Amino acid sequence: MLVLSRRMNESVVIDGRIKLTVIEIRGNQIRLGIEAPRDVNIARSELIGSGAMPALAVALLQAPEPLPIG
């Protein structure tokens, strides 16, 4: 695991196409802004497989390619 330090409004770029920006720091929590192409699936790790997400949402997040909607 790579561990980086960032301050407010500083960013990290992953693979040249995903940008994580520290938006706010409040106590022991931070707010992150995430800029990524539509084909990148983003979810909080504690929700995947916990039953908190509907089955369709989990399927969409785990699909190797974006699934058609509609």
Side-chain angles (χ1 to χ4, degrees):
M1 174 187 301
L2 174 66
V3 178
L4 301 172
S5 297
R6 297 283 79 198
R7 292 190 172 108
M8 290 255 299
N9 299 316
E10 291 185 337
S11 300
V12 173
V13 177
I14 301 169
D15 197 31
R17 59 189 218 132
I18 301 168
K19 183 177 179 181
L20 301 174
T21 304
V22 177
I23 303 297
E24 182 180 9
I25 302 170
R26 190 183 302 167
N28 65 349
Q29 291 187 332
I30 63 168
R31 292 183 69 203
L32 292 176
I34 303 170
E35 295 177 48
R38 289 192 167 274
D39 66 323
V40 175
N41 298 316
I42 301 170
R44 295 184 354 220
S45 62
E46 68 270 17
L47 295 181
I48 297 175
S50 71
M53 294 180 71
L56 176 59
V58 172
L60 290 172
L61 290 171
Q62 294 176 347
E65 296 182 24
L67 298 175
I69 298 176

